[in-house]
Amino acid sequence: MAPYFNIIQSLCRACFSSDLDVITHQIERLISAYRADGNIDEAKALEKMLNNAKNKEVLHSSVITFSSCLQGETLTPKTIIPVDKETSAPILDVIYVDELPSTEPIFDTFIKEAVDSVILEWSNYDKLIKMNATPSRSCLIYGLPGTGKTHLAKWIAKQLGLPIVLAKLDGIVSSFLGTSSRNIGNLFAFANRYKCILLLDEFDAIAKLRNDPQEVGEVKRIVNTLLQCLDSRDEIGFTIGVTNHEQLLDPAIWRRFDVQIEIPKPSPSIIPLLLKNFITPLKYNEAEISFLSWCIQDCSGADIQKLSNWLKRMSIIDEYKNECLYHLMQRYTLLNTGRISDKVKEIITKAPDDIYASLKASSPELKQKDIAEIFNMTPSSFCKMIQKNNKE
Ligand SMILES: Nc1ncnc2c1ncn2[C@@H]1O[C@H](COP(=O)(O)OP(=O)(O)O)[C@@H](O)[C@H]1O
Ligand SMILES: [Mg+2]
């Protein structure tokens, strides 16, 4: 029998019946078996996975107690949503917990740790209050468009087991003169009444008005109302502000947020992870992922998602499905000139060996033979071409 087959068999059975206790027990058996056989690295790797999963479980179970200790009524689909008095358009949307994303956004470790610390603090809200410590209750997430900020805000709410009250700021601000402040007041009154996270997405919609000289008086009124509302909400519930243009925000508003997290574009080590995440069920090998990552250096997470969807579409179109990745990416570059960096645009139209040189500089571990496939060449003809061009 193959090594540990009996344990793996029991583990599979436990997985199919979704019995977490048995799954944990079988993994612990596997760790002991590995350790006894001297496979220490494998035992440690499994142990780390198990501990991570257990920590998440602790986080998850604290969520349930947490949302039940927060003051306020529970939102239900029957709850009446406030509307703008002039236009009758709703001034907010409610996003219930089961509609929130359950996939964690993928960020560099230091961002992930900052986000985890906010979630941990907010999920220990009741304990902090008992200790007379004031937990932070507002968080501003800012950074370039498409970097996953809205996704992150929703995911935080999901982790806390709270629905989101999403302010329709564009509608609120463009409403008739004088009604914007009333709408903001109604929005906060609604959020304060229910157990929820108030999400002020595209928060800069309010700030943008400042550039319009005809709106000066109105903007002052809106900003003042907003400041008052943010101050009074601070005692009551959680608020997340999201903006792409943090420099447009009034400094007084900016200061109201206890925590401020900047989300940067994905770093070179995160791009392949995002690609692998979005590209499923398509399968690419490591060399192909490195090539795609090189092509979309400097792109946002949303751009990576867009490329992945495009590759999926190409994979089912008969005319393109057998095309090599190099030609596909040349075409994608021509169709997305605003997304692809100038450096890549310049090189991608050149010969494979030029691309190889640049690719090799960013991913030195790549071997010529692995890259040959991207150009639809056999390893030997690719190597010959590189050698010939190096001699010339
Ligand atoms: N780091 C990331 N991890 C996972 N998904 C991401 C990431 N960045 C962007 N996305 C995806 O890109 C799309 C746009 O993200 P979004 O949160 O709306 O960006 P933003 O609010 O920063 O403009 C979403 O589908 C989101 O899931
Ligand atoms: Mg957004």
Side-chain angles (χ1 to χ4, degrees):
M1 203 192 292
Y4 318 123
F5 182 69
N6 54 343
I7 306 181
I8 290 168
Q9 209 174 19
S10 309
L11 183 58
C12 294
R13 228 177 274 127
C15 287
F16 289 129
S17 61
S18 308
D19 188 335
L20 206 56
D21 287 341
V22 182
I23 295 174
T24 310
H25 173 64
Q26 295 304 337
I27 295 175
E28 281 163 354
R29 276 184 70 201
L30 202 53
I31 294 171
S32 309
Y34 272 139
R35 194 155 284 170
D37 279 1
N39 296 319
I40 305 297
D41 286 346
E42 287 80 355
K44 279 190 182 155
L46 280 183
E47 210 158 42
K48 196 169 163 207
M49 276 167 70
L50 199 60
N51 286 338
N52 283 348
K54 280 182 183 165
N55 287 343
K56 274 207 182 127
E57 190 58 20
V58 170
L59 198 72
H60 199 73
S61 56
S62 65
V63 163
I64 298 149
T65 50
F66 155 76
S67 75
S68 59
C69 75
L70 205 71
Q71 301 271 313
E73 296 170 41
T74 302
L75 280 162
T76 72
K78 286 195 183 135
T79 309
I80 296 167
I81 307 291
V83 295
D84 180 288
K85 291 249 167 31
E86 314 288 339
T87 62
S88 303
I91 59 169
L92 57 91
D93 269 336
V94 176
I95 312 175
Y96 294 96
V97 177
D98 56 357
E99 297 161 342
L100 292 169
S102 37
T103 52
E104 182 173 357
I106 303 164
F107 295 128
D108 282 291
T109 318
F110 64 98
I111 306 260
K112 187 182 152 29
E113 281 171 2
V115 170
D116 283 351
S117 72
V118 173
I119 296 175
L120 272 174
E121 191 178 335
W122 287 13
S123 56
N124 283 296
Y125 176 79
D126 54 331
K127 288 189 203 146
L128 288 169
I129 292 286
K130 272 187 206 141
M131 278 175 61
N132 242 350
T134 323
S136 64
R137 262 174 289 208
S138 52
C139 170
L140 184 69
I141 303 173
Y142 66 99
L144 293 166
T147 46
K149 299 181 297 299
T150 304
H151 183 144
L152 172 61
K154 291 181 177 172
W155 188 76
I156 292 176
K158 179 83 169 189
Q159 293 309 293
L160 296 172
L162 286 173
I164 278 185
V165 165
L166 176 64
K168 294 193 164 193
L169 286 175
D170 253 344
I172 290 177
V173 173
S174 61
S175 56
F176 289 91
L177 212 67
T179 58
S180 311
S181 299
R182 190 171 62 202
N183 283 341
I184 290 178
N186 289 343
L187 164 75
F188 276 79
F190 181 88
N192 293 348
R193 182 171 163 188
Y194 295 97
K195 283 185 208 170
C196 66
I197 287 190
L198 173 60
L199 176 56
L200 304 165
D201 203 357
E202 315 266 336
F203 199 26
D204 38 279
I206 290 172
K208 271 187 206 145
L209 271 187
R210 266 200 307 199
N211 298 334
D212 187 339
Q214 289 184 334
E215 301 281 11
V216 175
E218 177 67 348
V219 172
K220 266 201 184 136
R221 253 196 311 277
I222 295 177
V223 170
N224 281 340
T225 313
L226 197 58
L227 290 175
Q228 282 165 12
C229 288
L230 282 170
D231 280 345
S232 56
R233 178 156 175 83
D234 204 35
E235 305 290 310
I236 302 163
F238 301 115
T239 311
I240 301 181
V242 176
T243 176
N244 294 334
H245 306 281
E246 77 282 1
Q247 69 288 358
L248 290 181
L249 278 188
D250 195 289
I253 293 184
W254 180 263
R255 276 199 301 274
R256 287 304 188 281
F257 287 90
D258 299 323
V259 179
Q260 296 143 4
I261 307 178
E262 180 176 9
I263 306 294
K265 279 188 183 174
S267 68
S269 62
I270 294 296
I271 293 177
L273 300 183
L274 280 164
L275 260 173
K276 285 180 194 166
N277 175 56
F278 292 133
I279 210 81
T280 343
L282 293 187
K283 286 198 168 63
Y284 288 109
N285 62 31
E286 286 305 316
E288 289 166 328
I289 291 286
S290 298
F291 172 65
L292 290 172
S293 303
W294 172 82
C295 291
I296 49 170
Q297 49 190 289
D298 288 336
C299 281
S300 69
D303 292 334
I304 299 172
Q305 190 177 33
K306 197 168 185 314
L307 165 66
S308 305
N309 288 341
W310 184 82
L311 287 169
K312 283 180 198 170
R313 293 205 296 279
M314 293 304 112
S315 75
I316 54 151
I317 295 176
D318 284 343
E319 282 78 358
Y320 300 126
K321 67 180 179 199
N322 294 323
E323 206 169 27
C324 69
L325 210 49
Y326 165 52
H327 285 138
L328 272 176
M329 285 313 293
Q330 274 187 329
R331 208 140 42 78
Y332 186 79
T333 306
L334 290 173
L335 294 170
N336 291 273
T337 43
R339 277 192 189 89
I340 303 291
S341 77
D342 288 343
K343 177 182 154 197
V344 171
K345 267 190 281 196
E346 199 200 315
I347 300 176
I348 193 100
T349 46
K350 293 190 175 165
D353 54 325
D354 276 328
I355 299 176
Y356 173 70
S358 180
L359 194 54
K360 190 83 181 142
S362 64
S363 308
E365 74 286 357
L366 289 180
K367 303 218 164 47
Q368 285 180 7
K369 68 176 176 37
D370 297 329
I371 300 177
E373 206 179 311
I374 295 168
F375 299 100
N376 221 4
M377 294 173 84
T378 62
S380 61
S381 55
F382 187 72
C383 288
K384 265 187 216 145
M385 177 193 71
I386 302 276
Q387 278 162 4
K388 184 170 155 257
N389 291 355
N390 280 349
K391 273 184 209 145
E392 278 169 5

